[in-house]
Amino acid sequence: KAGVTQTPRYLIKTRGQQVTLSCSPISGHRSVSWYQQTPGQGLQFLFEYFSETQRNKGNFPGRFSGRQFSNSRSEMNVSTLELGDSALYLCASSSPEGRVRSPLHFGNGTRLTVT
Amino acid sequence: GENVEQHPSTLSVQEGDSAVIKCTYSDSASNYFPWYKQELGKRPQLIIDIRSNVGEKKDQRIAVTLNKTAKHFSLHITETQPEDSAVYFCAASPFQKLVFGTGTRLLVSP
């Protein structure tokens, strides 16, 4: 099975711009989660989508948004970029087993640099 | 919401020694506790996980213990090797949300 695929791998943007990141989950996985990883804050949860619906949301401002398509692929959008948004954005997919969490499979991430 | 604390932030050991990383969580509803290893420049990868109905789980040199009463869980690595050097993250999951600790950088010296 192909793993989780994230595109692009690297992005350089300037303050005020917006950016869209893409994630293709493992085939058959319906849950997609997004995390922001920075050296100081570790892995911060952004949001999770399941069957095209946002099921959980972390404590990020409204500039961070996402969506999931019917084929489970997901996109994350960040508007009005700030310098502090520079980070590695990781997508992870899983196959939920009822109410118990199932293992996350991470992609290689998109490294966003805001100048 | 759930809060996960992880200690130590850095751990240096000699090859062959054991390493222990500890985490505490706050939400008694958490029922799933995975550990991820992230090597430099690579994605986090699951190395072991435990569910709340189990107290201990082993996989070769790696073991995880869970104390639900005290709300803490630990990762134990025995006979450490240089390739164990990485950042390790614990996490706790109340239902479908996964909250990570801040990570432990493990350095194994030959």
Side-chain angles (χ1 to χ4, degrees):
Chain A
K1 265 186 182 177
V4 177
T5 304
Q6 289 187 248
T7 57
R9 287 297 310 276
Y10 303 93
L11 266 177
I12 299 176
K13 293 285 187 178
T14 56
R15 278 180 297 174
Q17 287 186 313
Q18 74 165 19
V19 66
T20 299
L21 313 181
S22 180
C23 172
S24 293
I26 290 173
S27 177
H29 284 190
R30 294 162 61 193
S31 170
V32 174
S33 303
W34 289 89
Y35 289 83
Q36 182 194 64
Q37 186 172 27
T38 56
Q41 298 297 318
L43 286 157
Q44 299 287 309
F45 173 74
L46 282 154
F47 28 65
E48 180 197 12
Y49 288 87
F50 178 77
S51 293
E52 301 180 67
T53 301
Q54 187 181 87
R55 188 162 59 177
N56 280 298
K57 190 177 188 307
N59 298 321
F60 278 80
R63 300 185 297 108
F64 292 81
S65 63
R67 59 178 175 168
Q68 186 180 35
F69 302 95
S70 58
N71 61 358
S72 293
R73 190 178 70 85
S74 178
E75 287 183 348
M76 188 191 97
N77 186 75
V78 188
S79 62
T80 320
L81 285 166
E82 301 177 0
L83 294 178
D85 297 333
S86 295
L88 179 67
Y89 290 89
L90 290 162
C91 166
S93 74
S94 66
S95 182
E97 302 160 11
R99 291 172 64 80
V100 180
R101 178 78 257 183
S102 53
L104 294 181
H105 300 267
F106 284 91
N108 285 320
T110 294
R111 184 165 296 282
L112 172 64
T113 302
V114 182
T115 62
Chain B
E2 176 63 278
N3 182 53
V4 178
E5 294 189 358
Q6 183 171 349
H7 301 280
S9 57
T10 307
L11 179 59
S12 295
V13 300
Q14 291 293 121
E15 183 177 0
D17 287 350
S18 293
V20 180
I21 302 171
K22 299 182 179 181
C23 290
T24 60
Y25 62 99
S26 60
D27 192 337
S28 57
S30 286
N31 56 13
Y32 174 66
F33 307 90
W35 287 86
Y36 284 82
K37 174 184 180 182
Q38 187 175 30
E39 297 177 56
L40 191 62
K42 295 190 177 181
R43 70 183 81 184
Q45 292 198 298
L46 179 73
I47 55 172
I48 195 168
D49 57 8
I50 191 169
R51 300 191 187 276
S52 58
N53 58 348
V54 176
E56 183 177 2
K57 184 176 178 181
K58 287 183 180 179
D59 183 3
Q60 299 182 340
R61 298 186 295 108
I62 293 173
V64 58
T65 58
L66 171 65
N67 183 326
K68 285 190 299 182
T69 304
K71 295 197 187 78
H72 67 71
F73 56 114
S74 301
L75 177 71
H76 304 253
I77 305 175
T78 59
E79 300 173 21
T80 54
Q81 301 167 2
E83 50 265 39
D84 293 330
S85 295
V87 178
Y88 291 80
F89 292 95
C90 65
S93 177
F95 305 117
Q96 295 297 339
K97 185 177 177 178
L98 198 60
V99 178
F100 284 85
T102 50
T104 295
R105 184 173 299 278
L106 174 64
L107 177 60
V108 180
S109 302

